[in-house]
Amino acid sequence: MATCWPEPIVSVQSLSQTGVPTVPNRYVKPAHQRPVFNTTQSDAEMEIPVLDMDDVWGKPEGLRLVRSACEEWGFFQMVNHGVNHSLMESVRGAWREFFELPLDEKRKYANSPDTYEGYGSRLGVVKDAKLDWSDYFFLNYLPSSIRSPSKWPSQPPKIRELIEEYGEEVKKLCERLTETLSESLGLEPNHLMKALGGEEKVGASLRTNYYPKCPQPHLTLGLSSHSDPGGITILLPDEKVAGLQVRRGDGWITVKSFPNALIVNIGDQIQILSNGIYKSVEHQVIVNSGMERVSLAFFYNPRSDIPIGPIEELVTENRPALYKPIRFDEYRSLIRQKGPCGKNQVDSLLLSR
């Protein structure tokens, strides 16, 4: 893995704050990758499922709702999920304050491509690649042996405590959700967690995304099309500005976040473990000319050093194994080198028929 970026890093937020009237060429996407803001689909087709978790936990009909969402969409919103609403607001607000700090303060946490941990502005190490219109802060949360709060921002005050508190609540949510996904696949509640490596060995990380105002949002993306490489992603979206788009057929649906909801999406590793029953779905982020956005993505991932392949009970004569096993650390390394690239990485694991 590269230990330095192929070109000097430019803070997109600082670039935006200069008042540039046009998007620099490094951020202009090829015509076929530029965002689509309009759709002809009906309103009913434009919404990812919203699940009230009070109607899901421990209820057979709830499992059917989860299975349908994971098979058909790969995404759903959760309400009554158990994460404290005021904590969600506080941690998102603290990160917003962090990104409003002077650039020199943020650069104390500048990251490198070997771990990505810290403050950064690009994904992937391909020289002369088209870049996304965003900055971010990435940190490791699990296993606890690699958690390093000293690498987290120290300003604004209490941000480290808020990260810890939010991380613990979302970790518990992921554990419960993993049981629900396992049961919805017809497995024992603890089966999927064992396949991920067990509660004490799973990985988790947090990436806080900052999408600055953009003078020409029709030419670029805040985050290019990709599926998430890990297991489950829990997204705390911006409370005011929409930006997440989910692939639906040949088009894109802009997600309208439900008040106090968290957004769940299936990652590549769950697609592999479920033998393709559940889908990791491409998504991207559009930007805005009038308002910046902040979102928090909590990635819940398998243990990094064990092969991840289709669960034996989900492989049948009619549905043979679709994917060759791969360790998550190897898979993640390939993603980090290339940056966002649709579903190319998971598709590369398909076994020939």
Side-chain angles (χ1 to χ4, degrees), residues 236-302:
L236 173 58
D238 192 281
E239 72 275 32
K240 296 176 181 175
V241 188
L244 174 65
Q245 289 191 323
V246 174
R247 169 77 77 182
R248 187 68 168 167
D250 294 329
W252 295 94
I253 293 169
T254 302
V255 175
K256 301 169 186 173
S257 59
F258 208 79
N260 297 315
L262 292 168
I263 299 172
V264 179
N265 66 279
I266 297 300
D268 294 345
Q269 306 305 305
I270 297 294
Q271 177 170 324
I272 293 167
L273 285 164
S274 72
N275 201 30
I277 296 171
Y278 290 171
K279 306 291 192 298
S280 63
V281 171
E282 280 183 78
H283 50 288
Q284 62 184 22
V285 176
I286 56 176
V287 287
N288 190 288
S289 60
M291 299 183 75
E292 66 279 344
R293 294 180 63 249
V294 173
S295 67
L296 282 69
F298 188 91
F299 303 108
Y300 196 70
N301 300 325

Side-chain angles (χ1 to χ4, degrees), residues 16-17 104 172 190 228 263 275 281 285 303 353:
S16 173
Q17 288 171 342
D104 286 348
K172 290 174 186 173
N190 65 350
D228 286 351
I263 299 172
N275 201 30
V281 171
V285 176
R303 176 175 170 173
R353 292 297 186 88

Side-chain angles (χ1 to χ4, degrees), residues 163-181:
I163 293 167
E164 190 88 44
E165 189 177 348
Y166 179 74
E168 283 305 298
E169 291 213 9
V170 179
K171 175 179 81 80
K172 290 174 186 173
L173 174 61
C174 288
E175 290 169 355
R176 194 170 188 187
L177 191 56
T178 299
E179 288 189 357
T180 300
L181 292 177

Side-chain angles (χ1 to χ4, degrees), residues 33-155:
Q33 293 179 4
R34 292 176 190 172
V36 176
F37 293 93
N38 300 314
T39 179
T40 58
Q41 291 166 303
S42 70
D43 287 344
E45 293 175 313
M46 288 175 61
E47 299 292 339
I48 66 172
V50 179
L51 302 186
D52 184 335
M53 301 312 285
D54 283 346
D55 297 331
V56 169
W57 304 130
K59 298 175 182 176
E61 178 56 30
L63 295 179
R64 286 191 287 271
L65 291 172
V66 169
R67 183 170 181 126
S68 175
C70 294
E71 286 182 332
E72 298 298 321
W73 287 88
F75 270 82
F76 57 91
Q77 298 195 60
M78 290 190 296
V79 296
N80 291 321
H81 41 66
V83 178
N84 184 284
H85 294 169
S86 62
L87 174 60
M88 290 161 55
E89 188 175 333
S90 295
V91 72
R92 185 173 50 205
W95 276 112
R96 196 180 295 275
E97 286 184 51
F98 168 78
F99 282 102
E100 290 169 355
L101 293 172
L103 181 59
D104 286 348
E105 179 67 25
K106 291 179 288 195
R107 280 193 168 150
K108 292 177 182 176
Y109 304 97
N111 70 350
S112 64
D114 54 346
T115 66
Y116 273 80
E117 193 163 15
Y119 172 70
S121 299
R122 71 175 290 164
L123 301 168
V125 293
V126 178
K127 189 173 173 60
D128 297 324
K130 293 292 186 181
L131 302 178
D132 290 333
W133 193 263
S134 58
D135 299 328
Y136 64 85
F137 197 105
F138 179 88
L139 59 89
N140 291 311
Y141 194 78
L142 293 174
S144 56
S145 59
I146 65 168
R147 188 187 309 170
S148 183
S150 64
K151 296 179 181 177
W152 303 352
S154 59
Q155 297 294 325

